[in-house]
Amino acid sequence: MLESTMLFGATMLVYRGMVVLAVALLVLSRAGAEDICTVGNEGLECTQQTSKLLIQGGTVVNADYQQQADVYIEDGVVKLVAPNLKAVGGVRIIDATGKFVMPGGIDPHTHMEMPFMGQESIDDFFSGQGAALAGGTTMHIDFALPVDGDLAAGYQAWEKKAEKSCMDYGFHMAVTKWNDDVAKDMEWLVKEKGINSFKFFMAYKGALMVTDEELIQGFKKCKELGALPQVHAENGDGVVEGQTRMIELGITGPEGHPLSRPPVLEGEATARAIRLAKFVNTPLYVVHVMSIDALDEVSRARHSGQRVIGEPVASGLALDDSKLWDPDFKIAAQYVMSPPIRAAGHSQALQAALSSGVLQLVATDHCPFNSTQKALGKYDFRKIPNGVNGVEERMHIVWDTMVNSGKISVMDYVRVTSTACAKIFNIYPRKGAILPGSDADIIILNPNATTTISSKTHHSRIDTNIYEGWSMKGNIETTISQGNVVWEKGNLNVQRGKGRYIAMKPFGYLFDGLDKVDAAYLTSLKAPVHRAS
């Protein structure tokens, strides 16, 4: 015999200053409810999934304001944000008293199961996303690579990889050569597939690197399509020379990696990309700004009025390069990434730039390789796969480094970890906000709890962690994705295939008014001059 239970739909009544969610009787079969059971530190726990949540008692924080309010969620969407909400029947209540309720993090720079340097990054779209959710990130934008230079084939390959996703995601697309087919594929990806950004590598000569001519043509096409060009800014020719120099000096260990690609090469490429973007009159996004040299170029361009976005990553903000000189190869090699983690002093400059708005948002460049993969370069640092972890740690590292230190406010924290990304890639306010109509991607952070990062407890498949032993005050206790509680009390409840591809529209706010700049430029030419024959 089929058993039924009574749930209540939501209408809103105001009674003596209290907002009440009440009374639309609905009869549903218990067969429609699903019990999700997980094993966590406290043993087996089963929670009944419901499409209705009420987060009570917390401080709701958006990038531009915060307030004491409750948040009502239904069918994966924020329905109401207001004080003193009360629920009846069928609504699960989450107590957030004394805690911050914030939009879930958006990581704009990841590389899940990416083939690179003869290896493949160890996290796929399921394990990497599970780690992200455990760390409070509810969406990421991954870099899809062309297959033999073919952008359409690359998109399809990444689309296939992402079928196992358990949270929302988007794609950037890399451009590694230039021809008419690439231009046509870019147009198809923007107009049909929801991609609004393309990455150009100025490093990795002989593999991913583009020439200045290709960079200019790519920038022009991006501008035409309303897509944001991104650059990995290192002088690829200089890097090859630096690597050769280190090998000739007998420096073959992990310390040879930062020595071979010093900050001056990052600064030069950043300056060149910015000037070429100005020449084309297109916005530019510089990924993983790691050095003072690159930061100075971004700062100079922004102060001159140029539309340049600078993206630091968690490792560059929080760490220095000292571990790359560790006598234990396993420890040193795990810190190899490009551009490299820099010497002490660079991170402090990046933190100051983030707090002052010169840099806009924080990513991770999550591209982890395990110890066995890293060991392939034990006798030649050029063969160590470049990449570090961070998708699970970013939200905590930024909280500790920037908020606990007093460098930014809690609202700024929301801005640099979520809202700025959503605005830049044109998905705000669906993402990056707790507003009626926004997706219910939400975290609850307890500022008085403590947490410690360790490879023994993290959810990535990597066997090391560059933040090993990092302890801090402040812990993300609950993560809500698509209106479902997926991280709570140390338990991770995720479902393979639950993730959604988020299409991103072109012509975001960075393109506003560019036509006026172009018109002013044409007027300023005072040419052609009509001369008598």
Side-chain angles (χ1 to χ4, degrees):
M1 183 175 178
L2 189 63
E3 184 180 0
S4 294
T5 185
M6 298 208 181
L7 301 177
F8 292 88
T11 59
M12 189 174 70
L13 301 175
V14 179
Y15 178 67
R16 293 183 181 176
M18 183 179 295
V19 182
V20 183
L21 300 175
V23 191
L25 187 60
L26 181 64
V27 179
L28 294 179
S29 165
R30 189 175 295 276
E34 180 182 5
D35 287 332
I36 305 295
C37 300
T38 61
V39 179
N41 295 331
E42 300 176 2
L44 183 65
E45 179 175 337
C46 297
T47 59
Q48 189 177 80
Q49 294 290 78
T50 174
S51 65
K52 301 172 186 178
L53 299 174
L54 180 60
I55 304 171
Q56 288 184 321
T59 301
V60 177
V61 186
N62 282 297
D64 54 351
Y65 71 97
Q66 64 184 59
Q67 61 177 326
Q68 289 295 125
D70 303 331
V71 182
Y72 176 60
I73 297 164
E74 186 174 335
D75 296 329
V77 176
V78 175
K79 295 293 186 180
L80 189 61
V81 182
N84 302 317
L85 296 180
K86 299 296 179 184
V88 295
V91 179
R92 180 186 170 188
I93 296 173
I94 299 175
D95 183 10
T97 302
K99 303 171 186 178
F100 292 114
V101 181
M102 299 183 281
I106 308 173
D107 188 343
H109 188 155
T110 64
H111 299 282
M112 304 300 180
E113 53 189 294
M114 183 183 84
F116 187 55
M117 298 179 69
Q119 298 294 305
E120 185 173 89
S121 56
I122 199 70
D123 274 330
D124 62 19
F125 275 82
F126 185 66
S127 67
Q129 290 183 355
L133 290 168
T137 289
T138 53
M139 180 180 170
H140 70 117
I141 311 176
D142 205 73
F143 284 94
L145 298 182
V147 174
D148 297 325
D150 187 324
L151 271 63
Y155 171 82
Q156 290 160 359
W158 256 254
E159 190 177 39
K160 183 70 174 176
K161 294 179 187 199
E163 287 178 355
K164 62 180 77 69
S165 291
C166 58
M167 77 179 197
D168 291 353
Y169 62 94
F171 291 143
H172 311 287
M173 190 78 217
V175 176
T176 57
K177 67 177 184 180
W178 189 258
N179 56 41
D180 289 344
D181 288 337
V182 169
K184 290 176 183 176
D185 282 346
M186 287 176 67
E187 188 166 349
W188 173 72
L189 288 166
V190 170
K191 294 181 177 179
E192 304 293 334
K193 297 300 178 182
I195 286 181
N196 67 1
S197 52
F198 293 89
K199 182 180 182 180
F200 300 84
F201 290 88
M202 302 173 76
Y204 303 121
K205 188 174 182 179
L208 301 172
M209 178 177 158
V210 297
T211 65
D212 285 357
E213 179 183 3
E214 291 170 324
L215 198 60
I216 291 169
Q217 295 304 316
F219 282 5
K220 288 170 61 180
K221 191 65 179 179
C222 282
K223 179 183 177 182
E224 173 193 329
L225 296 171
L228 183 60
Q230 301 174 292
V231 288
H232 173 132
E234 289 181 288
N235 186 306
D237 291 314
V239 168
V240 172
E241 171 61 25
Q243 290 174 331
T244 302
R245 182 184 301 173
M246 292 305 111
I247 295 299
E248 289 175 348
L249 291 171
I251 301 172
T252 60
E255 69 278 8
H257 180 73
L259 292 172
S260 70
R261 47 209 314 153
V264 65
L265 297 184
E266 185 186 355
E268 185 281 330
T270 303
R272 181 159 37 102
I274 287 171
R275 283 158 177 77
L276 292 178
K278 185 174 184 179
F279 176 64
V280 174
N281 187 31
T282 182
L284 181 69
Y285 184 114
V286 183
V287 304
H288 46 42
V289 175
M290 297 292 285
S291 66
I292 294 172
D293 301 54
L295 169 61
D296 284 347
E297 298 298 338
V298 172
S299 177
R300 187 177 297 113
R302 287 182 61 84
H303 280 105
S304 72
Q306 194 172 344
R307 302 178 188 193
V308 178
I309 299 296
E311 172 208 270
V313 293
S315 56
L317 284 173
L319 303 174
D320 62 45
D321 67 350
S322 57
K323 289 290 188 180
L324 285 155
W325 271 261
D326 195 285
D328 185 331
F329 174 86
K330 179 180 177 180
I331 293 174
Q334 67 179 303
Y335 292 87
V336 171
M337 66 174 291
S338 294
I341 297 169
R342 302 299 186 184
H346 289 271
S347 61
Q348 286 80 2
L350 295 173
Q351 290 173 23
L354 184 66
S355 67
S356 63
V358 175
L359 300 175
Q360 287 70 53
L361 72 172
V362 182
T364 62
D365 195 7
H366 181 83
C367 187
F369 297 93
N370 65 21
S371 297
T372 301
Q373 293 171 307
K374 294 275 190 176
L376 294 172
K378 189 167 187 178
Y379 304 105
D380 185 346
F381 68 85
R382 296 172 297 180
K383 298 178 182 178
I384 300 173
N386 294 189
V388 300
N389 62 286
V391 75
E392 184 169 359
E393 296 80 16
R394 177 185 69 125
M395 299 291 284
H396 286 106
I397 291 297
V398 175
W399 181 267
D400 195 44
T401 302
M402 301 301 295
V403 181
N404 282 343
S405 66
K407 292 182 175 71
I408 63 173
S409 68
V410 179
M411 290 183 293
D412 284 335
Y413 174 79
V414 170
R415 175 176 56 81
V416 302
T417 61
S418 183
T419 309
C421 181
K423 289 183 176 181
I424 289 166
F425 294 104
N426 213 10
I427 51 174
Y428 180 88
R430 178 181 179 181
K431 302 290 186 182
I434 301 179
L435 296 170
S438 298
D439 284 354
D441 292 348
I442 293 172
I443 60 172
I444 301 175
L445 186 148
N446 185 343
N448 297 311
T450 58
T451 188
T452 300
I453 296 171
S454 173
S455 60
K456 295 181 176 63
T457 55
H458 71 203
H459 296 79
S460 169
R461 288 176 176 169
I462 193 175
D463 59 341
T464 58
N465 195 307
I466 60 172
Y467 306 102
E468 187 68 41
W470 190 300
S471 294
M472 71 199 76
K473 189 175 182 181
N475 185 38
I476 296 169
E477 296 182 337
T478 303
T479 304
I480 298 168
S481 172
Q482 301 177 22
N484 296 311
V485 178
V486 294
W487 172 253
E488 186 178 37
K489 297 179 181 178
N491 296 324
L492 184 62
N493 290 320
V494 293
Q495 182 178 339
R496 189 180 296 263
K498 180 75 171 177
R500 302 174 299 188
Y501 175 69
I502 305 299
M504 297 175 287
K505 294 181 180 179
F507 292 105
Y509 78 91
L510 290 167
F511 288 85
D512 291 350
L514 285 186
D515 56 334
K516 295 180 177 64
V517 178
D518 286 336
Y521 165 73
L522 293 174
T523 300
S524 73
L525 297 179
K526 300 179 181 178
V529 175
H530 299 288
R531 296 178 173 87
S533 58

